Each structure stands twice: as C-alpha cells, then as structure tokens.
Amino acid sequence: MATKESSAGKRDFRSGFVAIVGRPNAGKSTLVNRLVGQKIAIVTSKPQTTRNRIQGIVTKPQGQIVFIDTPGLHEADSVLGRQMMQEVAAALEGIDVLLLMVDASRMRPHADDLPLEKARQFRGKTILALNKVDRLPKPKLLPLIDAFRKAFEFAAILPVSALKGGGCEELLEEILKQLPEGEPYFPEDQLTDQPERFLAAEIIREKAIQVMYHEVPYALAVMVEKYEETPKLLRIEAVMNVERDSQKKILIGHKGEMLKRIGTEARKELETILGRKIYLGLFVKVAPGWRENPQKVRELDWRYQLEGLASELDDKE
Ligand SMILES: Nc1nc2c(ncn2[C@@H]2O[C@H](COP(=O)(O)OP(=O)(O)OP(=O)(O)O)[C@@H](O)[C@H]2O)c(=O)[nH]1
Ligand SMILES: [Mg+2]
C-alpha cells in the first residue's frame, strides 16, 4: 500500500518520441535547440543544412519528449539527397507523435503537398507547428490555420516562433498531452544522442556554410579525425571535404584567410558549448563528386564513423 502514492505519481509521467518533419529551412533545428535549451543542431539561412537525424531530449516534471530533428523534405537528386530522405523515413519509425513544421511566413504554405503527404502516410497523431509567425502579419494567421485544418485532420495546430520563443511552451504542453504515460527513456540531464566529436564537426560545417556561397555549402562534408583530451586543452583536428579543386580554393581563401575565419569562429563556439579550451586544426581535401558516391556518402556519415571508432577500440583491446 505504501507504493500507492508513488506509483500514482509515476502514472502521470509521459514520455515518447516526436519526429520534426518539414521542408528545408522551415526552422526545425532552431526549434529543437530552443526546446532543448542548448545548441545541439546547426542552423543556417541556407536550405538542406541538416543531413542526419539528431535526437534532442527535453525532460520536464510532467514528462520526457525525445525530439528527432530531420533533414528537410525535398526531391532528392543525388545519393546524399536520397540518403537524407532515408533519414527522414527512419526517423518516423516507432515515433509516438509526428510534428509537422511549415514556414508560415511563406506564400501559400498550405498549398505545399510534400509535408502533408508525410502526415497522410504516418497515420498517427500529428501536430502542426506554424513557424516564423514573428514574420507573419496577424490577420493572415487565422485563414492559414483554417486552410490547414481543411487539408488534414491534425491533433492540434499551433503558431510558434522557434527563433523568438513565442508559442513554444504551449507546443510542449500540447505534445505532452498526446504522449502515452511511461518512464523516461534517457537520464534527465542528457540532451542529445549526438557525441561531442560529431557536434564539433557540425559546428565547423555551420561556420563554413555561413561564410560560403553558391555550391560550396552543399559540397562540404566535415570529418573529425582527431579528438584528444590533453591536460591543458581539447585537441580537435578536422578535414573539410569538398568536391572540386575550385571549391577548395574558395574555402581556403586568399592567404588562407577564409579557413582561418571559419576555424576561429568554430573554435570560439565550441569552447563555449563544451566549456573547455580547444585547439582546432582544419584541413581541406578534395573528394571528387563524393555526393554521388554511395561508399563516400556512407564514410562521411557520423554514424558510420562511430561504428569505425567502436571497432578500432575493439581491436585495441
Ligand atoms: N524569423 C524567423 N526565422 C526563423 C524562425 N525559425 C527559424 N528561423 C530561421 O530560418 C532559417 C532556417 O532555420 P533552420 O532551423 O536551419 O531550418 P531547418 O528546418 O532545420 O532547415 P534544414 O536543416 O535545411 O531542413 C534560419 O535562418 C533561422 O534563423 C522563426 O521562428 N522566425
Ligand atoms: Mg535543420
């Protein structure tokens, strides 16, 4: 009988997995960072920034939500693009709630069928987040909600601003309502499933995308080759792979200025996130046409690298 109270308390706790799916640039990664309260996913103004699914874990007294950030939905025209769309499909497996996100500030977002198609295929509870409402004139909001309501039977439609934070608490509450009762999946202080060394690779890629233009951001893949704790600092060495010599030249810049700038910005941000002094060494390599090479696309994927690291450790034992 003594357990009655605690088990009753437990019964109130909800937990589950929620995939965030939408077009590139809708603000999915911005939302995950905002809800988790720390940067775990990179954000840029250019579409197709996220390439892998990344878990962001939010633990509240009422429950735990494991968000899965995903690459933006698009018609893939490369091996990399198809792999990104497979990441979205994999993210949808076994989730409790689908969180569809659209950029509400765009022209006629309700006329875009690709995100709605995902919702139709999913068949489970789907919440719609209308993002970037900070950029939407108020009179436009209600007609937009109405149009989406007619297009699909959402469990809820919520206007949010992932950037400014508006509506985000309400969104969390609504998601928690839709989750089943259950135990947390992760310790309450865990924020992501992504190892630090891959966050480091992503931060470097973000800084490069921010200063690059044309095709260079899309042709870039960053691999951390060394990640060593020394008594004084964390030593990171990373290779930035691009597809062509011309892209390598742009990335290095005049007298190496561009590379230096990317390195400095990445190091500073990583020092803030990881709370350690960091040495960051950056190298640029050409991996010709890697986005069209299935083997290369696999090798440059952090999950694949993680398997490699695990077997390296096994070999040493
Ligand atoms: N004004 C405004 N901008 C936003 C909001 N949310 C995100 N953004 C901006 O939209 C751009 C894209 O944001 P991301 O979070 O990278 O978008 P994403 O959906 O993850 O994009 P992909 O990874 O390419 O699929 C960035 O410039 C963000 O700052 C918002 O609520 N309001
Ligand atoms: Mg993203």
Side-chain angles (χ1 to χ4, degrees):
M1 292 307 275
T3 58
K4 198 173 172 192
E5 199 174 301
S6 60
S7 65
K10 266 188 192 164
R11 227 178 287 143
D12 285 340
F13 199 85
R14 289 165 187 270
S15 62
F17 288 78
V18 178
I20 311 181
V21 170
R23 283 282 192 184
N25 217 43
K28 302 176 293 297
S29 302
T30 307
L31 181 73
V32 170
N33 291 339
R34 153 91 37 202
L35 299 177
V36 168
Q38 192 174 307
K39 180 152 166 183
I40 59 157
I42 61 168
V43 168
T44 82
S45 61
K46 299 183 182 83
Q48 294 179 32
T49 296
T50 304
R51 288 182 182 158
N52 292 103
R53 55 191 199 276
I54 303 168
Q55 291 183 355
I57 304 152
V58 179
T59 309
K60 298 270 178 192
Q62 316 92 292
Q64 182 176 75
I65 312 172
V66 184
F67 286 100
I68 310 169
D69 185 17
T70 65
L73 298 171
H74 65 282
E75 309 287 351
D77 60 357
S78 65
V79 173
L80 174 67
R82 284 192 287 280
Q83 137 86 15
M84 283 157 69
M85 293 308 96
Q86 277 163 15
E87 285 282 298
V88 181
L92 290 172
E93 278 171 30
I95 53 166
D96 299 282
V97 171
L98 173 63
L99 179 59
L100 210 64
M101 174 178 267
V102 301
D103 177 348
S105 71
R106 286 182 62 149
M107 292 279 284
R108 299 170 56 77
H110 54 287
D112 183 2
D113 215 41
L114 202 54
L116 287 171
E117 223 173 78
K118 280 282 166 206
R120 286 185 201 111
Q121 285 165 3
F122 174 59
R123 291 161 188 255
K125 285 177 193 164
T126 303
I127 295 176
L128 177 67
L130 295 174
N131 192 31
K132 307 198 189 183
V133 290
D134 54 284
R135 286 217 305 230
L136 188 73
K138 277 236 164 66
K140 293 215 164 151
L141 188 57
L142 282 182
L144 195 59
I145 292 176
D146 221 39
F148 273 109
R149 201 171 271 150
K150 283 185 186 130
F152 187 78
E153 202 177 316
F154 290 102
I157 301 180
L158 288 112
V160 297
S161 169
L163 188 67
K164 306 256 164 94
C168 288
E169 280 306 313
E170 291 82 350
L171 178 63
L172 280 182
E173 266 172 42
E174 188 57 46
I175 293 168
L176 280 169
K177 256 196 250 167
Q178 306 289 344
L179 290 184
E181 287 174 356
E183 299 292 315
Y185 289 91
F186 294 95
E188 64 176 272
D189 57 352
Q190 187 171 340
L191 302 180
T192 182
D193 65 333
Q194 188 183 215
E196 274 180 6
R197 74 182 274 157
F198 299 106
L199 177 66
E202 286 289 88
I203 297 284
I204 296 163
R205 193 162 65 86
E206 179 190 76
K207 299 308 167 205
I209 294 176
Q210 283 168 351
V211 294
M212 291 290 128
Y213 46 88
H214 298 317
E215 85 271 35
V216 186
Y218 305 101
L220 177 64
V222 180
M223 286 246 278
V224 167
E225 307 242 303
K226 225 183 227 167
Y227 198 86
E228 284 172 359
E229 292 280 1
T230 70
K232 281 199 182 142
L233 46 70
L234 174 61
R235 195 180 171 85
I236 303 173
E237 285 179 17
V239 175
M240 307 173 80
N241 295 276
V242 284
E243 291 192 312
R244 287 204 294 269
D245 219 38
S246 57
Q247 295 164 342
K248 178 176 170 175
K249 279 200 187 101
I250 298 173
L251 199 55
I252 293 171
H254 181 61
K255 290 186 180 164
E257 271 167 16
M258 198 57 105
L259 197 60
K260 206 170 158 193
R261 184 171 154 201
I262 294 166
T264 306
E265 285 180 19
R267 178 181 52 76
K268 280 188 185 156
E269 180 154 349
L270 280 167
E271 284 181 339
T272 308
I273 297 177
L274 303 177
R276 262 167 282 175
K277 194 160 169 47
I278 289 170
Y279 163 84
L280 177 60
L282 290 181
F283 308 88
V284 184
K285 267 192 199 163
V286 180
W290 70 266
R291 280 179 296 173
E292 287 301 345
N293 179 336
Q295 176 63 20
K296 274 276 165 211
V297 166
R298 231 161 78 81
E299 281 172 18
L300 294 171
D301 186 315
W302 70 263
R303 277 166 228 268
Y304 180 83
Q305 289 174 45
L306 201 61
E307 281 169 29
L309 288 169
S311 62
E312 244 175 58
L313 281 178
D314 286 348
D315 291 347
K316 276 184 193 160
E317 274 168 13

